[in-house]
């Protein structure tokens, strides 16, 4: 999973981007890269097959797993409930004699707000605001078990704390098999949970009781409830045969081979899936899905999406092409993707993308999206290897899936020649964390992203660098071979490292994972010059992406002056001369604030404080430079020299320059085309009076910083009164700003 939008995305990177500290700057661009829709048509769907039954389809697919599910379910779309029956055949692969079977009922995490995962909290709050007719209880749901039997005998069961415990009539011996039948009803919550419905889509994760993992070493079943802070996905790969009764107009995305029968009853159909050796079974259903399908070399990739924007199919086609590239890359590096299909589903989730077996869930894609820059998309595809194929206990060892998925997306980017999202993004981080990478979800709390993703991928990169690509790839192929369709552990990973790469490599990796404060070895980090260059490239991409979210965004935009400087255009900062000590002190604080951002992002600039220097440069250098002018218009040489042109350009964009400059105590900023050069910009941070009043200064400084950013609205001008209250502004809303808002 990637929590995009700060939840990871993103929920996990909560630093305000209005802070100019290095840590906040880094957080801001990581946040945007994962959140923004850089970041999910021939229409081909699985053909309907006449009366072929699911069992007949299944007969052609060899079953491998020790668990087989046969599930029949009916979606009641009018009240968003489901009735289902499940027949589960379980083979005891342990050496223990079992008196119980245990299933997870993770749907019951939705019985109360306190047990629902927090990563969807903000989305649900936004949905609630937009739909006041929905009551708090509409966002809740759960599963009821209506009966369990085996061999026509009713079995005692207890469903509590998301664990369904079934007492067996007779002990289940090692190697023996039992088949249990159960009936269940499901209440699907409204909103944006993994199991939910919203507008015209049903998200169907955790919709039926799924077998727990039996720990043979501890001689007990896993009964851990679903994590309210992160993920608790820990399953045994199983074989599935599912029949899903839905309205005729619904398209259903599920893992496996999908067939459809339309002869069941008027207005409805049965969509069936056979999905062997699959770690978890999910569905997504909507009457408005379009399906784009492409087959290459025996693999079919399908994208289920909402055709709600001109040119969207072309973007979806490019996403499918990117998916083929990623699957081929990971298959070559780690081990072949073993399934004949892979599906991508667009939904209304924001700030989070989620992986499932053979299916990934993405947010909405617009026609401006660039699949080549969508690192979240590649991260979710990498999860097909790390969690779907190689499983793990993601409650206690989340590094094994998130760390490897995040390293893999970077590995892919590096080999595609993407220097922004390649290995430099790993090498940049030189700060330690107090938490160990091998921490559990409870231990990391809201630090999952920096611990599992950032430090996790860094530890893997250090292994990669220390042994070289050829040996690293050899190790990864062996790791895949040992654990495909099984559950790996960190200790199992370390043993594989030792067996393939040697004891020293194992010890180094063990230290990196288990000891707090891991930092990449200095020889693998970026130099200070390389860091500055990397930050420059990242900021350049961020500003371009952010500004491009608004087609036809006017030229006179304050943030655009930063974008232009990042592209190499000259930038000059001109201060007022002959001012009071109070004004001079404020001007220097403002310059320091601006230049801190410029220095971190690798922007070159010139600061002019002296009027004589200004006179020498005014006609030549400053005529070709973007300008940031600071101070009272009456005391700033640029404003006085170019006053008539400034007034003319300001008036054209609706900024009444003379009236504003005559307002006592007013301050603010405006951006116009350079009076000498329409291809350059001039941004004037002004105040009327000797200096900015003490009451307004804090707001003035914050607004100054915000106005140049890429995470909030794009300002043309704004005016504050003597107390710092906004009295006038003109701006364009930034679609990305919601991802950076404080909760």
């Amino acid at each position: 999973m990637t929590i995009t939008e700060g939840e990871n995305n993103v929920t996990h990177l909560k630093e305000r981007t209005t802070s100019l500290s290095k840590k906040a700057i880094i957080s801001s661009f990581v946040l945007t890269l994962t959140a923004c829709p850089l970041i999910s048509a021939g229409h081909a769907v699985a053909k309907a097959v006449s009366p072929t039954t699911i069992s007949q389809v299944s007969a052609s697919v060899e079953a491998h797993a020790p668990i087989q599910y046969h599930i029949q379910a009916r979606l009641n779309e009018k009240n968003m409930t489901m009735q289902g029956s499940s027949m589960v055949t379980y083979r005891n692969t342990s050496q223990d004699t079992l008196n119980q079977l245990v299933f997870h009922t993770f749907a019951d995490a939705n019985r109360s707000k306190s047990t629902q995962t927090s990563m969807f909290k903000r989305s649900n709050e936004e949905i609630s605001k937009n739909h006041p007719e929905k009551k708090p209880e509409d966002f809740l749901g759960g599963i009821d078990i209506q009966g369990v039997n085996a061999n026509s005998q009713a079995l005692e069961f207890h469903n509590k704390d998301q664990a369904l415990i079934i007492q067996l009539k007779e002990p289940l011996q090692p190697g023996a098999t039992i088949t249990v039948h159960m009936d269940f009803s499901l209440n699907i919550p409204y909103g944006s949970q993994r199991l939910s419905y919203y507008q015209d889509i049903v998200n169907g994760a955790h919709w039926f009781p799924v077998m727990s993992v039996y720990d043979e070493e501890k001689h007990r079943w896993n009964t851990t409830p679903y994590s309210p802070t992160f993920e608790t996905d820990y399953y045994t790969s199983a074989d599935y045969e599912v029949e899903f009764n839905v309205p005729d107009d619904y398209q259903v995305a599920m893992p496996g081979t999908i067939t459809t029968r339309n002869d069941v009853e008027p207005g409805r159909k049965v969509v069936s899936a056979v999905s062997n050796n699959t770690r978890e079974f999910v569905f997504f259903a909507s009457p408005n899905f379009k399906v784009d399908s492409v087959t290459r070399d025996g693999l079919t990739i399908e994208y289920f999406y909402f055709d709600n924007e001109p040119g969207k199919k072309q973007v979806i086609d490019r996403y499918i092409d990117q998916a083929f590239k990623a699957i081929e890359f990971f298959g070559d590096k780690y081990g072949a993707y073993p399934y004949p299909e892979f599906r991508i589903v667009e939904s209304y989730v924001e700030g989070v993308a989620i992986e499932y077996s053979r299916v990934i869930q993405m947010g909405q894609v617009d026609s401006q999206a660039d699949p080549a820059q969508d690192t979240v998309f590649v991260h979710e595809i990498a999860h097909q290897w790390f969690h779907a194929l190689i499983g793990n206990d993601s409650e206690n060892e989340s590094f094994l899936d998130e760390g490897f998925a995040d390293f893999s997306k970077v590995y892919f980017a590096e080999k595609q020649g993407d220097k922004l999202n390649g290995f430099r993004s790993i090498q940049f981080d030189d700060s330690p964390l107090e938490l160990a990478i091998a921490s559990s979800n409870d231990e990391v709390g809201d630090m999952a992203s920096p611990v599992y993703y950032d430090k996790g991928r860094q530890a893997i990169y250090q292994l990669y660098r220390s042994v070289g690509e050829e040996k690293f790839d050899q190790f990864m192929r062996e790791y895949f071979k040992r654990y495909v369709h099984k559950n790996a552990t960190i200790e199992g990973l370390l043993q594989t490292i030792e067996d393939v790469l040697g004891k020293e490599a194992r010890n180094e990796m063990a230290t990196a994972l288990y000891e707090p404060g891991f930092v990449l070895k200095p020889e693998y980090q970026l130099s200070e010059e390389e860091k500055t260059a990397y930050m420059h490239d990242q900021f350049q991409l961020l500003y371009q992406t952010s500004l491009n979210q608004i087609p036809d965004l006017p030229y006179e935009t304050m943030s655009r002056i930063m974008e232009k400087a990042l592209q190499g255009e000259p930038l000059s900062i001109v201060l007022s001369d002959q001012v009071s000590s109070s004004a001079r002190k404020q001007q220097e604080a403002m310059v320091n604030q601006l230049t801190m951002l410029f220095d971190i992002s690798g922007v070159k600039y010139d600061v002019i404080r002296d009027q004589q220097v200004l006179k020498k440069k005014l006609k030549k250098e400053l005529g070709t430079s973007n300008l940031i002018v600071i101070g009272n218009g009456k005391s700033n040489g640029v404003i006085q020299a170019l006053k008539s042109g400034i007034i003319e350009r300001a008036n054209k964009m609706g900024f009444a320059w003379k009236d504003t400059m005559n307002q006592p105590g007013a301050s603010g900023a405006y951006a116009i085309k350079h009076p000498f050069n329409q291809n350059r910009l001039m941004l004037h941070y002004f105040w009327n009076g000797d200096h900015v009043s003490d009451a307004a200064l804090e707001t003035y400084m914050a607004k100054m910083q915000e106005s140049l950013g890429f995470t909030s609205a794009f300002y043309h001008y704004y005016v504050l009164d003597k107390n710092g209250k906004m009295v006038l502004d003109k701006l364009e809303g930034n679609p990305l700003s919601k991802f950076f808002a404080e909760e």
Side-chain angles (χ1 to χ4, degrees):
M1 174 191 69
T2 294
I3 305 171
T4 67
E5 12 141 50
E7 291 206 34
N8 154 73
N9 12 42
V10 35
T11 265
H12 311 147
L13 294 175
K14 271 308 284 171
E15 331 242 9
R16 287 277 293 172
T17 57
T18 52
S19 168
L20 284 175
S21 69
K22 179 183 288 188
K23 185 175 182 181
I25 292 295
I26 294 170
S27 295
S28 74
F29 74 68
V30 173
L31 182 63
T32 297
L33 286 178
T34 54
C36 65
L38 299 173
I39 326 198
S40 159
H43 299 244
V45 295
K47 295 180 180 178
V49 290
S50 46
T52 303
T53 68
I54 193 169
S55 297
Q56 289 172 320
V57 174
S58 174
S60 66
V61 182
E62 182 183 359
H64 301 279
I67 308 171
Q68 284 84 44
Y69 293 86
H70 298 257
I71 304 174
Q72 294 180 322
R74 179 187 179 96
L75 175 67
N76 305 309
E77 74 283 3
K78 293 181 180 178
N79 60 5
M80 283 299 165
T81 61
M82 187 185 297
Q83 292 296 129
S85 63
S86 177
M87 181 176 72
V88 184
T89 300
Y90 176 76
R91 176 164 47 89
N92 182 6
T93 59
S94 76
Q95 297 302 309
D96 295 345
T97 298
L98 305 178
N99 296 305
Q100 297 177 334
L101 296 182
V102 177
F103 290 74
H104 292 299
T105 50
F106 287 148
D108 278 347
N110 296 295
R111 289 200 179 274
S112 73
K113 189 175 180 180
S114 64
T115 54
Q116 286 179 321
T117 179
S118 60
M119 67 181 61
F120 300 98
K121 177 183 176 182
R122 186 168 58 192
S123 294
N124 280 343
E125 288 175 347
E126 192 67 25
I127 290 171
S128 181
K129 290 178 184 177
N130 295 332
H131 296 273
E133 76 280 4
K134 292 294 183 179
K135 301 175 182 178
E137 55 266 31
D138 292 325
F139 290 82
L140 304 178
I143 190 168
D144 292 313
I145 310 303
Q146 297 166 330
V148 181
N149 68 79
N151 299 320
S152 301
Q153 291 184 306
L155 300 179
E156 293 183 8
F157 65 90
H158 183 61
N159 182 29
K160 184 179 180 182
D161 295 331
Q162 304 172 42
L164 171 64
I165 300 174
I166 300 172
Q167 302 295 331
L168 301 178
K169 294 286 187 182
E170 297 179 1
L172 187 64
Q173 302 297 325
T177 297
I178 187 173
T179 298
V180 297
H181 300 254
M182 65 183 77
D183 295 320
F184 62 90
S185 62
L186 181 73
N187 183 23
I188 302 173
Y190 182 75
S192 188
Q193 300 290 332
R194 284 179 170 84
L195 174 66
S196 60
Y197 73 95
Y198 178 62
Q199 295 188 31
D200 53 355
I201 187 173
V202 181
N203 302 322
H206 309 152
W207 61 279
F208 63 94
V210 63
M211 289 227 55
S212 167
V213 175
Y214 184 76
D215 188 327
E216 193 169 355
E217 292 185 4
K218 297 179 180 179
H219 308 288
R220 69 187 186 195
W221 293 92
N222 180 284
T223 58
T224 305
Y226 207 86
S227 173
T229 59
F230 198 53
E231 295 178 305
T232 309
D233 296 315
Y234 185 29
Y235 312 107
T236 301
S237 288
D239 299 332
Y240 289 90
E241 295 184 5
V242 177
E243 294 183 340
F244 202 33
N245 187 306
V246 296
D248 262 339
D249 59 348
Y250 272 53
Q251 290 279 13
V252 181
M254 299 183 283
T257 301
I258 296 178
T259 56
T260 302
R261 295 204 325 269
N262 295 299
D263 58 350
V264 290
E265 61 181 287
R268 299 189 71 85
K269 63 184 177 184
V270 171
V271 182
S272 302
V274 175
S275 186
N276 286 339
N277 247 331
T278 302
R279 195 161 302 273
E280 60 186 317
F281 193 96
V282 300
F283 76 88
F284 297 89
S286 174
N288 292 320
F289 274 149
K290 300 293 184 182
V291 186
D292 199 352
S293 179
V294 178
T295 300
R296 297 177 190 168
D297 300 324
L299 172 64
T300 298
I301 295 181
E302 293 182 330
Y303 209 127
F304 290 68
Y305 68 101
F306 301 111
D307 191 13
N308 54 7
E309 188 175 345
K312 189 163 182 177
K313 181 191 181 304
Q314 287 72 27
V315 174
I316 295 299
D317 286 339
R318 290 164 54 209
Y319 267 95
I320 290 177
D321 186 63
Q322 184 78 342
F324 274 111
K325 290 179 183 177
I327 290 172
E328 180 182 6
F329 178 83
F330 298 139
D332 177 63
K333 290 293 185 180
Y334 306 146
Y337 182 76
Y339 306 118
E341 92 297 324
F342 176 66
R343 295 187 173 99
I344 306 150
V345 180
E346 181 177 73
S347 68
Y348 298 116
V349 296
E350 290 187 342
V352 60
I354 308 173
E355 75 281 359
Y356 302 103
S357 292
R358 305 161 76 162
V359 178
I360 62 173
Q361 178 185 12
M362 300 294 297
Q364 288 198 76
V365 168
D366 63 39
S367 60
Q368 304 300 314
D370 182 3
Q373 290 294 325
D374 193 342
T375 60
V376 172
F377 183 66
V378 177
H379 173 101
E380 300 312 322
I381 293 174
H383 269 305
Q384 295 307 301
W385 279 260
F386 305 106
H387 197 65
L389 290 169
I390 301 174
N392 64 285
D393 180 356
S394 62
E395 175 69 23
N396 294 301
E397 295 185 333
S398 275
F399 153 75
L400 286 175
D401 55 292
E402 297 299 353
F404 274 98
D406 225 45
F407 170 81
S408 296
K409 84 173 184 188
V410 178
Y411 197 5
F412 174 77
E414 179 73 18
K415 295 305 177 180
Q416 298 299 305
D418 181 352
K419 299 306 180 183
L420 291 180
N421 299 309
F423 286 152
R424 286 198 299 168
S425 65
I426 293 177
Q427 294 173 278
F428 184 88
D429 179 11
D430 60 2
S431 58
L433 292 176
E434 295 181 1
L435 294 163
I437 297 170
S439 299
S440 68
N441 290 353
D442 283 344
E443 290 168 337
V444 302
D446 62 358
M447 293 288 287
S449 178
V451 174
Y452 300 143
Y453 297 71
D454 300 340
K455 286 300 177 184
R457 72 185 187 182
Q458 199 172 54
I460 299 166
Y461 174 72
Q462 181 163 286
L463 176 66
Y464 169 91
R465 285 291 302 271
S466 65
V467 302
E469 184 173 319
E470 183 177 353
K471 289 184 177 180
F472 178 83
D473 290 349
Q474 179 186 354
F475 147 69
M476 289 301 299
R477 285 190 283 269
E478 177 61 24
Y479 179 57
F480 179 84
K481 181 180 177 181
R482 291 186 185 189
Y483 290 104
V484 63
H485 301 308
K486 300 176 183 177
N487 282 307
T489 62
I490 290 179
E491 285 303 311
L493 169 73
L494 294 173
Q495 187 60 54
T496 309
I497 292 174
E498 180 177 347
D499 293 344
V500 178
L501 302 175
K503 187 79 171 179
E504 182 179 350
R506 177 203 169 107
N507 291 342
E508 281 198 359
M509 191 64 166
T511 299
L513 298 182
Y514 286 118
E515 292 188 8
F518 170 74
V519 176
L520 194 65
K521 290 181 178 179
E523 58 265 35
Y524 303 146
Q525 296 178 17
L526 297 178
S527 67
E528 289 303 317
E529 294 77 10
E530 289 171 327
K531 287 179 182 178
T532 299
Y534 176 67
M535 288 297 292
H536 175 275
D537 293 346
Q538 288 286 12
F539 269 95
Q540 187 178 54
L541 174 63
L542 288 169
Y543 274 88
Q544 289 174 351
T545 300
S546 182
L547 292 165
N548 287 343
Q549 295 301 302
I550 305 176
D552 304 319
L553 180 69
Y555 186 76
E556 298 91 336
T557 303
M558 296 181 192
S559 296
R560 200 182 295 281
I561 202 167
M562 182 69 177
E563 180 199 28
K564 291 164 74 65
L566 286 162
Q567 292 174 349
E569 293 186 12
L571 174 63
S572 297
I573 304 171
V574 183
L575 307 186
S576 294
D577 194 11
Q578 305 298 316
V579 296
S580 70
S581 60
S582 296
R584 190 176 303 279
K585 183 177 180 180
Q586 287 184 354
Q587 286 184 163
E588 291 302 326
M590 294 169 191
V591 169
N592 288 338
Q593 178 170 279
L594 292 174
T595 57
M596 187 183 300
L597 171 62
F598 298 153
D599 290 341
I600 290 173
S601 57
V603 165
K604 295 181 179 180
Y605 57 89
D606 184 26
V607 180
I608 301 174
R609 295 178 171 86
D610 183 80
Q611 193 169 16
Q612 297 305 314
V613 175
L614 174 61
K615 287 180 179 180
K616 292 179 181 180
K617 293 187 174 185
L618 186 59
K619 290 186 177 180
K620 190 173 182 181
E621 288 109 339
L622 297 189
T624 59
S625 176
N626 294 291
L627 299 178
I628 295 180
V629 182
I630 298 176
N632 187 309
K634 296 177 181 179
S635 60
N636 190 283
V638 168
I639 303 301
Q640 290 303 306
L642 308 180
K643 187 174 180 180
S644 60
I646 291 172
I647 294 173
E648 179 184 357
R649 292 190 182 274
N651 289 339
K652 282 183 178 179
M653 62 174 288
F655 183 65
W657 194 90
K658 286 186 176 180
D659 290 344
T660 304
M661 295 304 149
N662 287 320
Q663 292 178 17
S667 60
Y670 59 92
I672 59 173
K673 290 182 179 180
H674 192 302
F676 284 175
N677 191 333
Q678 65 177 0
N679 295 318
R680 299 289 186 259
L681 288 173
M682 190 195 86
L683 170 56
H684 182 196
Y685 292 107
F686 71 88
W687 54 84
N688 300 337
D690 181 73
H691 59 276
V692 180
S693 68
D694 292 342
L697 184 59
E698 182 177 353
T699 302
Y700 185 94
M701 295 288 287
K703 208 68 187 174
M704 186 179 197
Q705 182 172 296
E706 177 189 342
S707 65
L708 280 179
F710 58 85
T711 66
S712 59
F714 300 124
Y715 283 95
H716 306 298
Y717 57 78
Y718 59 83
V719 179
L720 311 176
D721 67 13
K722 63 181 180 180
N723 295 313
K725 180 181 178 181
M726 183 76 72
V727 293
L728 178 68
D729 65 12
K730 181 180 179 182
L731 54 84
E732 305 288 337
N734 182 352
L736 299 182
S737 61
K738 59 188 172 184
F739 297 130
F740 297 87
E742 288 191 74
E743 295 180 3

